[in-house]
Amino acid sequence: MKRAPRDTQESYRRISRRGLLMASVQGVFVGTLVFRMRYLQLDQADEFRLLAEENSIKIRLLPPARGLIHDRKGAVIAGNEQNYRITITREDAGDTDEVLSRLSQLVPLSDEDLDRAKKEIARRSPTLPITVADRLSWEEFSRVAVNAPALPGVTTEVGLSRYYPLGADFAHMLGYVGPVSDYDLSKLDDPDPLLQIPRFQIGKIGVEAKLESELRGTAGTRRIEVSSTGRVMRELGRKEGDPGADVQLTVDRHLQNYIQARLGEDSAAAVVMDVRNGDILAINSAPSFDPNLFVRGITAVDYRALTENIRRPLADKSVQGAYPPGSTFKMVVALAALEAGVIGTQDTFYCRGFVKLGTRRFHCWKRAGHGHVDLNESLQQSCDVFYYEVAQRVGIDAIAAMARRLGIGARFDLPMSAVSEGLAPDKDWKLRKYGEDWRVGDTLNSGIGQGYVLASPLQLAVMSARIASGLAVTPRLVRAIDGQDVPLPEALPLGLNNAHLAAVRRGMFDVSNSRRGTAYGSRIVDDAMRMAGKTGTSQVRNITAAERARGVTRNEDLPWERRDHALFVCYAPVDAPQVAVSVVVEHGGGGSAAAAPIARDIVLQALHGGLPPLTAYPESQRVRIESERERLNLIAPDAPKGGRSRA
């Protein structure tokens, strides 16, 4: 037999290889098709059978866990707690009125709850689940789950709700969360789909609102199977969202807790700031309120009690309040005059109880006057006449410039609501605001921190910190976000003459430590912790010439709302400043009597990291201090074991 030619054999081999390749490809295709058919007909048979019976698959958004908020030491001050709730979806429920009627027989639903749910159902998309009831007990939740077949469109869910474990202590700083409103949505160009979920909660005020985007997180999804009657058959799958970022603040919960107890029901504010880096260690406003009431849905009775309280518990006086700083402003005027060279540290003025401008008298708080007074004595004894004279010489524009340099009239970018800018007025400001020229009388009033000058407790704390350090320290409230440290702003030198700063600091030291000082009664006797400070009294009413002639009415004899505001600012320890404190007591009377004792107690608490021993106080005051601690339910470190502690 003849053999095929060599080229013919090679051609046969090429055809065989091609055939084998095509057969392999066809085999893979057929195998894939068979596997897919098996998956659809066997593995997914139940799902498609149910779909053929008019079941449907719904996609539901899963709210993420809101980020936690911690204090500087890691303690949770805003957390989440488990929440049992019930939702209804109009598309699946059919007759929603009938379903809600059945539901109300299983769980307590007030007429208000039912009306609110019906309004939400009517105004929202039929595919959105509407929260009918939340914060149910396990028994109530279980009762609804067991009766699910008779409640089409109703779903039982376990979610998370915001919780503030320390209640009123951080209410103004943290704020609170609440359901998304139409107003909230109107402010957004492209709202997060999460915000369309009825009663989804977002930050309303304070840190919760200002850091909403960081705290919220991103939504997850849940695939559920719903029968033709609206009953949820099963969950087919779920993809959890990303939780919000955790936030760490600079505040100390123990110090915050102590200050809130110390302020009590006074209408007051206090700010504690680290002189070295600007960290806010505590920032309080009193009286306070429980933010958990707003999270759960505050009742009309509770809300009315807050809004009708004359001491305004809902207002954050620490950053929103703008007060005439009174004599605490005298350091600003003194530094402006020293830096301008219009006075020296040894120059004196004679105080006879008033100065005369035209036919008008500007009075000193001491009717008989102080006699000859130099810079140190003017601060120590808070002589008004000294600052009337100095203010005229230096002028309002230089005073305003120094005020801004020290932090008054500046709006600090803190994540809190309605942070006040205060006011350091000058000639241009008055012309713009009122269309009037600045007058010499305006300068005299500004010289003692009255008139148009306004400052918040936060700004007064910043002023004290800058005087103590000589640096332009900036207040900081957020320490870290999602584990990443927030950079500290660089504190540049103020550029003030060191001798001038030293002179003002000596005057502030004598305010608290000289027997003639206005805050001597609130001194610290522990040499390592002595403080330098300045009292202030902010007048809130006009005193007529007739009243002065017969004698000015004492604050305690006036209605509460007509009494003067009491202020005190300070820093400590004097030799190596660590903390600066400001206290404002609305209608508290004199700063030395009402504000200075509170500030002294706060300083000691901050420096000791807890209640200081009684030996830090003057001996004559120790019995009273101990009694005060007992009233506040506070026990010092050296107290016998078994004692109580609020912190």
Side-chain angles (χ1 to χ4, degrees):
M1 180 185 290
K2 273 186 163 184
R3 296 181 93 185
R6 185 182 298 268
D7 57 347
T8 302
Q9 293 179 13
E10 184 62 30
S11 178
Y12 286 157
R13 280 197 293 271
R14 281 200 299 271
I15 291 171
S16 298
R17 284 197 298 270
R18 287 173 186 159
L20 181 61
L21 180 60
M22 290 194 65
S24 299
V25 171
Q26 289 176 346
V28 170
F29 176 77
V30 171
T32 301
L33 188 61
V34 170
F35 177 79
R36 182 62 180 168
M37 290 175 65
R38 180 186 182 282
Y39 172 73
L40 294 174
Q41 293 181 4
L42 297 179
D43 295 348
Q44 298 291 303
D46 291 341
E47 181 170 338
F48 285 108
R49 188 180 301 113
L50 287 167
L51 288 175
E53 295 170 358
E54 298 184 345
N55 284 10
S56 60
I57 295 174
K58 307 287 186 184
I59 305 296
R60 298 282 187 255
L61 290 179
L62 289 173
R66 192 169 180 83
L68 306 180
I69 303 178
H70 303 265
D71 82 337
R72 67 184 296 109
K73 296 178 182 176
V76 174
I77 55 178
N80 301 314
E81 63 179 0
Q82 198 170 61
N83 178 17
Y84 298 116
R85 55 176 169 252
I86 297 169
T87 64
I88 185 171
T89 307
R90 183 179 10 144
E91 182 184 60
D92 302 325
D95 187 345
T96 55
D97 288 347
E98 175 61 25
V99 174
L100 288 173
S101 177
R102 293 180 199 166
L103 186 61
S104 64
Q105 297 173 24
L106 298 173
V107 294
L109 293 174
S110 66
D111 291 341
E112 185 181 350
D113 292 332
L114 291 171
D115 288 343
R116 179 191 48 74
K118 289 175 182 178
K119 288 177 182 176
E120 286 285 349
I121 290 170
R123 62 198 287 268
R124 299 286 185 175
S125 166
T127 62
L128 281 176
I130 307 297
T131 301
V132 178
D134 63 358
R135 298 186 180 276
L136 298 175
S137 67
W138 172 249
E139 291 74 16
E140 293 166 339
F141 181 79
S142 303
R143 201 153 53 234
V144 175
V146 168
N147 287 276
L151 300 168
V154 171
T155 306
T156 52
E157 296 181 353
V158 181
L160 295 174
S161 186
R162 204 54 155 177
Y163 175 62
Y164 302 99
L166 296 177
D169 287 353
F170 288 94
H172 296 98
M173 180 201 311
L174 294 178
Y176 52 82
V177 299
V180 180
S181 66
D182 290 337
Y183 174 71
D184 295 324
L185 293 174
S186 70
K187 295 187 295 183
L188 303 172
D189 295 329
D190 185 21
D192 187 329
L194 270 173
L195 304 186
Q196 302 292 339
I197 300 176
R199 296 187 75 184
F200 179 77
Q201 293 185 325
I202 61 171
K204 293 292 185 176
I205 61 171
V207 172
E208 291 278 26
K210 297 298 182 179
L211 298 182
E212 170 64 27
S213 58
E214 290 85 355
L215 292 165
R216 185 190 306 160
T218 56
T221 55
R222 177 187 180 216
R223 293 173 65 245
I224 57 172
E225 182 185 324
V226 182
S227 71
S228 58
T229 61
R231 179 187 173 192
V232 176
M233 304 298 295
R234 59 174 172 162
E235 184 177 288
L236 299 175
R238 131 182 334 240
K239 179 183 178 184
E240 298 294 343
D242 296 322
D246 289 349
V247 173
Q248 185 178 27
L249 302 182
T250 60
V251 292
D252 183 308
R253 69 185 176 102
H254 291 296
L255 183 60
Q256 185 85 8
N257 171 266
Y258 170 80
I259 296 173
Q260 207 64 45
R262 183 66 179 85
L263 296 179
E265 292 304 309
D266 281 339
S267 184
V271 179
V272 185
M273 189 171 159
D274 191 321
V275 167
R276 299 161 295 188
N277 58 21
D279 278 1
I280 294 176
L281 304 179
I283 184 165
N284 298 70
S285 180
S288 190
F289 62 93
D290 184 357
N292 292 301
L293 293 176
F294 287 87
V295 178
R296 297 164 186 167
I298 191 167
T299 65
V301 173
D302 286 337
Y303 187 68
R304 190 163 54 250
L306 293 173
T307 56
E308 293 178 357
N309 188 327
I310 193 173
R311 286 172 167 76
R312 303 178 300 123
L314 292 178
D316 185 357
K317 303 173 182 75
S318 65
V319 296
Q320 296 172 7
Y323 307 89
S327 294
T328 63
F329 194 69
K330 288 174 178 174
M331 287 86 74
V332 173
V333 179
L335 284 169
L338 290 168
E339 290 289 307
V342 299
I343 64 166
T345 58
Q346 303 302 316
D347 289 352
T348 63
F349 293 96
Y350 183 76
C351 171
R352 56 176 174 163
F354 65 89
V355 296
K356 209 168 180 181
L357 183 65
T359 60
R360 183 180 174 188
R361 288 186 175 188
F362 288 79
H363 293 270
C364 183
W365 69 267
K366 189 174 182 180
R367 188 171 182 176
H370 291 90
H372 291 283
V373 180
D374 64 13
L375 175 65
N376 185 275
E377 292 168 327
S378 75
L379 290 170
Q380 177 194 128
Q381 300 172 46
S382 201
C383 175
D384 293 332
V385 167
F386 183 95
Y387 290 93
Y388 292 145
E389 298 286 0
V390 169
Q392 289 185 78
R393 285 161 174 74
V394 69
I396 190 59
D397 287 342
I399 292 172
M402 182 58 68
R404 298 185 195 105
R405 202 168 179 178
L406 294 176
I408 295 174
R411 188 184 183 280
F412 296 107
D413 188 21
L414 293 182
M416 297 177 70
S417 297
V419 177
S420 173
E421 187 175 325
L423 180 59
D426 55 21
K427 294 178 181 177
D428 288 341
W429 170 84
K430 188 176 181 185
L431 195 60
R432 291 194 311 271
K433 179 75 174 177
Y434 297 107
E436 298 176 1
D437 290 333
W438 189 267
R439 298 178 180 177
V440 177
D442 296 330
T443 300
L444 268 63
N445 280 328
S446 298
I448 61 167
Q450 294 281 166
Y452 297 115
V453 182
L454 296 173
S456 69
L458 171 65
Q459 291 171 329
L460 293 175
V462 172
M463 177 191 75
S464 304
R466 291 184 176 184
I467 291 173
S469 66
L471 301 173
V473 289
T474 302
R476 181 180 75 149
L477 186 58
V478 180
R479 195 175 192 180
I481 297 178
D482 209 17
Q484 299 296 313
D485 289 342
V486 173
L488 275 168
E490 183 181 4
L492 299 173
L494 287 170
L496 299 178
N497 184 297
N498 287 332
H500 297 160
L501 278 172
V504 169
R505 291 168 185 159
R506 280 196 301 273
M508 292 177 69
F509 176 81
D510 284 346
V511 167
S512 300
N513 298 282
S514 168
R515 289 188 178 276
R516 299 187 67 187
T518 54
Y520 182 68
S522 297
R523 65 194 180 280
I524 297 172
V525 298
D526 184 339
D527 288 340
M529 297 189 179
R530 290 187 187 273
M531 70 179 181
K534 183 70 190 77
T535 54
T537 302
S538 172
Q539 190 174 306
V540 298
R541 67 187 183 95
N542 289 324
I543 300 174
T544 64
E547 183 180 347
R548 287 193 184 278
R550 67 174 181 268
V552 177
T553 306
R554 298 183 309 168
N555 272 287
E556 51 266 37
D557 295 330
L558 292 167
W560 178 80
E561 65 275 11
R562 298 190 65 204
R563 298 174 187 174
D564 298 335
H565 297 322
L567 303 93
F568 191 76
V569 299
C570 62
Y571 64 86
V574 168
D575 295 331
Q578 296 178 34
V579 297
V581 175
S582 70
V583 173
V584 175
V585 181
E586 287 188 341
H587 309 296
S592 58
I598 296 173
R600 186 264 309 274
D601 293 349
I602 291 172
V603 165
L604 287 172
Q605 182 82 9
L607 294 179
H608 275 273
L611 286 175
L614 290 172
T615 52
Y617 295 88
E619 188 173 356
S620 62
Q621 300 178 20
R622 291 171 190 171
V623 172
R624 180 182 60 79
I625 296 295
E626 190 170 26
S627 175
E628 178 73 10
R629 288 178 175 180
E630 181 67 19
R631 184 182 68 80
L632 294 176
N633 203 21
L634 301 165
I635 295 296
D638 53 1
K641 290 184 178 180
R644 293 165 292 171
S645 175
R646 182 179 183 274

